[in-house]
Amino acid sequence: FSKQNGRNGFAFYFEDLNIDTRRVLVLDTEIRKAIENKDFELYFQPKVSIGDNKIVGIEALVRWKNEKLGFVSPNEFIPFAEETGLIIPISEIIIEKACEELRKLRNAGFYDLTIALNISSIHFHQYSFLDSIKNILEKNNTSAQNFEIEVTERTVMNSDSDTIRKLVRLKQLGFKLSIDDFGTGYSSLSYLVRFPLDYLKIDRSFIQHIITLDDKQAVVDAIIQMAHRLKMEVVAEGVESVQQLNLLKEMGCDYIQGYYYSRPVPMDELIEFLQIWEVVHQERIEE
Ligand code: C2E
Ligand code: MG
Ligand code: MG
Ligand code: MG
């Protein structure tokens, strides 16, 4: 019985807790340390334009490897950090690192690619969000034109005046705006049209089954047609096969992201990928 074994109160209580509770405690401690040391990394996944096979942008995806917990998925630690409010410093670290990585990308000669940032609804709705992002960009001598902001449907669901004002302001500053994970929330396209959006990203859960499930295929087709009529471009996320790619092409989808082209990779690897891509694409033109 751990009461006898535990030499201090913490060890005693800690051992008696169930595994989930222990993980939460360790996560909390380790996330705080990671923030202190800016211990997060960014990986990048290209976004490819279907029509002309051009890479038009890259999405930054956070990675966290911890000495005790190993690799922790953003699907676990982001929602956790949102509950504790730690997402704000994490988000600021991510934006800052994105500015550093942008410099590497520009130094390698890639001048037009934008970096898409996933912005948590907690950060987005924070009173000082606009100042926070503007300050980080200014400190790094860069501008909004180099970035896209991805927010989920849920983030903009309560389209109060504050949400609209922020989106309009972001757009005026020069950011491109995307709705991420479209289809998983409750909003309708006609509702989203009041926002100044550039891209609609269809959630991977739809793309995953477009070949095998007719209803998913019909939904994706309808989303693409409607988005176009509302002057938005469509990105399909999670494309893994050439069959999915061809079907999306037929449907008139504009951009593709997914393992089919590339998994998210560190900046050095991405730059190599971009260089090879250019060569292959150049040869196609010359043929
Ligand atoms: P998301 O923004 O929708 O990102 C897409 C996720 O799908 C990424 O997972 C990506 O690695 C994965 N993915 C891309 N293509 C494929 C594919 O072909 N097949 C499969 N199976 N997966 C694919 P990841 O990196 O684990 O991120 C998960 C989620 O965590 C993101 O979903 C986003 O909501 C959140 N997240 C990631 N990075 C950040 C960040 O920097 N800030 C914030 N606030 N959230 C982030
Ligand atoms: Mg995203
Ligand atoms: Mg998404
Ligand atoms: Mg997602």
Side-chain angles (χ1 to χ4, degrees):
F1 191 66
S2 52
K3 196 172 201 169
Q4 273 88 36
N5 302 340
R7 276 202 289 141
N8 57 53
F10 179 71
F12 158 58
Y13 285 115
F14 192 79
E15 280 163 27
D16 275 4
L17 295 170
N18 68 42
I19 291 170
D20 284 355
T21 313
R22 271 192 245 168
R23 177 140 181 118
V24 163
L25 288 176
V26 176
L27 259 178
D28 191 64
T29 315
E30 295 304 313
I31 287 181
R32 284 169 202 273
K33 276 197 237 159
I35 291 170
E36 196 82 359
N37 303 322
K38 303 197 172 179
D39 227 355
F40 300 96
E41 254 189 287
L42 294 181
Y43 276 36
F44 299 91
Q45 187 181 42
K47 177 166 82 188
V48 182
S49 144
I50 295 191
D52 54 7
N53 268 315
K54 270 183 91 143
I55 294 172
V56 293
I58 56 181
E59 178 177 2
L61 294 154
V62 67
R63 294 292 177 263
W64 179 36
K65 193 158 178 269
N66 174 266
E67 49 176 15
K68 284 204 184 109
L69 300 163
F71 166 78
V72 187
S73 162
N75 284 322
E76 181 181 10
F77 79 82
I78 296 281
F80 182 83
E82 285 176 334
E83 276 177 37
T84 57
L86 293 174
I87 188 64
I88 308 267
I90 294 175
S91 189
E92 289 174 344
I93 292 169
I94 289 169
I95 298 167
E96 199 179 309
K97 295 227 162 166
C99 294
E100 289 166 19
E101 302 285 15
L102 180 79
R103 272 197 292 279
K104 287 193 210 160
L105 187 66
R106 297 293 184 250
N107 287 340
F110 296 96
Y111 299 109
D112 334 305
L113 300 184
T114 51
I115 295 185
L117 301 165
N118 290 283
I119 299 295
S120 156
S121 85
I122 306 284
H123 196 193
F124 181 88
H125 288 298
Q126 194 198 27
Y127 174 72
S128 52
F129 170 62
L130 282 167
D131 284 337
S132 137
I133 195 164
K134 261 170 44 188
N135 287 342
I136 300 169
L137 265 50
E138 268 168 32
K139 246 197 330 206
N140 285 277
N141 289 315
T142 188
S143 63
Q145 279 72 22
N146 298 304
F147 296 94
E148 278 171 46
I149 302 274
E150 293 192 8
V151 289
T152 63
E153 271 180 279
R154 275 165 228 270
T155 299
V156 297
M157 212 161 55
N158 297 318
S159 64
D160 46 51
S161 55
D162 181 63
T163 301
I164 297 183
R165 189 184 60 84
K166 273 185 179 158
L167 290 172
V168 169
R169 191 74 193 109
L170 284 168
K171 192 71 194 146
Q172 284 171 343
L173 287 169
F175 289 102
K176 287 272 197 319
L177 300 179
S178 302
I179 290 293
D180 204 355
D181 301 349
F182 185 78
T184 60
Y186 308 96
S187 54
S188 65
L189 272 175
S190 54
Y191 164 90
L192 289 175
V193 79
R194 72 189 74 193
F195 304 130
L197 302 173
D198 300 284
Y199 307 113
L200 200 71
K201 302 188 74 172
I202 304 178
D203 194 68
R204 184 163 65 85
S205 57
F206 293 91
I207 307 305
Q208 218 171 357
H209 301 291
I210 45 168
I211 303 299
T212 47
L213 299 175
D214 285 347
D215 56 336
K216 297 276 181 202
Q217 191 173 317
V219 170
V220 170
D221 196 39
I223 292 173
I224 294 170
Q225 307 321 317
M226 262 187 70
H228 284 165
R229 295 188 68 170
L230 299 172
K231 307 276 183 286
M232 280 182 259
E233 292 195 293
V234 182
V235 185
E237 23 171 68
V239 175
E240 295 184 356
S241 71
V242 69
Q243 287 86 353
Q244 290 169 328
L245 172 72
N246 287 335
L247 185 55
L248 287 159
K249 202 172 188 170
E250 264 175 52
M251 292 177 178
C253 183
D254 305 285
Y255 306 99
I256 295 286
Q257 264 185 272
Y259 294 173
Y260 176 72
Y261 287 119
S262 172
R263 286 176 179 263
V265 292
M267 184 53 84
D268 293 347
E269 240 176 272
L270 180 91
I271 287 170
E272 277 173 35
F273 178 86
L274 294 172
Q275 286 161 343
I276 292 167
W277 185 277
E278 268 194 345
V279 172
V280 171
H281 192 62
Q282 196 56 38
E283 280 171 0
R284 291 239 175 91
I285 293 168
E286 284 163 4
E287 263 169 23

